[in-house]
Amino acid sequence: MSIQRETSGHIAAIVTILIWGTTFISTKVLLADFTPMEILFYRFLMGFIALILVRPKIIPFKNWRQELLFAGAGLFGVTLYFLLENIALTYTYASNVGMIVSVIPMITAVLAHFLLEGEKLRLTFFIGFGQH
C-alpha cells in the first residue's frame, strides 16, 4: 500500500471520527427544541435527500426478500439505533452516550463468542481492548 493511500485512509478515518463525535453534541443541543422522534425524522430526511443527490437513479426491484432485508437493516441498524441514542441523550450527558457507544463493538465481540459457533476471542482482541 502506498504512503499516499495510507495517509488518505487515516485522514478519512479522522474526519469520520470528528463528524461522528460531534453528532452527540449537536443532538444534545437539538433536544432543547425538538423531540427525539423529530430529530430522527429530520436526520432521515437529510440523509434521503443526500442519497438522491448522490444517486438519483432508482435501484431496480429484485424480489420481496431483498426488500424486506433492506427494510429490516434500516429499521434495526439505523432507525432504532438513532432513536434510542436520541432518547439516551435526554437522560444523560453526550460524553456518557459517546462512551457507551464506543464500547458496543467490544460487547458485540464478547456476545458473539458465547452465542455464535466458531467466534473466538483471540489475543489480538484483548491487546486492542487494552490499548483503549
Side-chain angles (χ1 to χ4, degrees):
M1 182 185 295
S2 71
I3 299 293
Q4 183 180 8
R5 186 174 171 105
E6 188 174 315
T7 303
S8 297
H10 287 358
I11 291 170
I14 290 168
V15 168
T16 302
I17 290 166
L18 290 173
I19 292 170
W20 195 270
T22 59
T23 62
F24 298 109
I25 299 163
S26 59
T27 302
K28 188 73 173 176
V29 170
L30 287 171
L31 283 167
D33 297 312
F34 297 98
T35 67
M37 189 65 86
E38 289 172 329
I39 294 171
L40 179 71
F41 173 76
Y42 290 122
R43 179 178 276 169
F44 167 80
L45 191 62
M46 290 186 320
F48 185 68
I49 291 168
L51 286 174
I52 288 173
L53 292 174
V54 172
R55 170 89 188 210
K57 191 175 175 185
I58 294 177
I59 298 172
F61 177 84
K62 288 190 179 177
N63 58 51
W64 282 108
R65 183 178 184 276
Q66 183 182 37
E67 294 298 318
L68 288 173
L69 285 172
F70 284 148
L75 175 64
F76 293 105
V78 180
T79 305
L80 289 178
Y81 169 83
F82 281 115
L83 179 61
L84 293 174
E85 180 184 293
N86 295 348
I87 292 170
L89 284 165
T90 64
Y91 291 105
T92 189
Y93 299 110
S95 57
N96 290 345
V97 176
M99 291 300 293
I100 292 167
V101 167
S102 69
V103 174
I104 290 173
M106 291 175 257
I107 294 170
T108 302
V110 171
L111 287 173
H113 172 73
F114 290 109
L115 300 174
L116 299 175
E117 198 172 310
E119 292 286 334
K120 295 185 169 116
L121 293 177
R122 295 183 173 79
L123 180 60
T124 54
F125 169 80
F126 294 103
I127 292 170
F129 179 75
Q131 289 178 350
H132 298 288

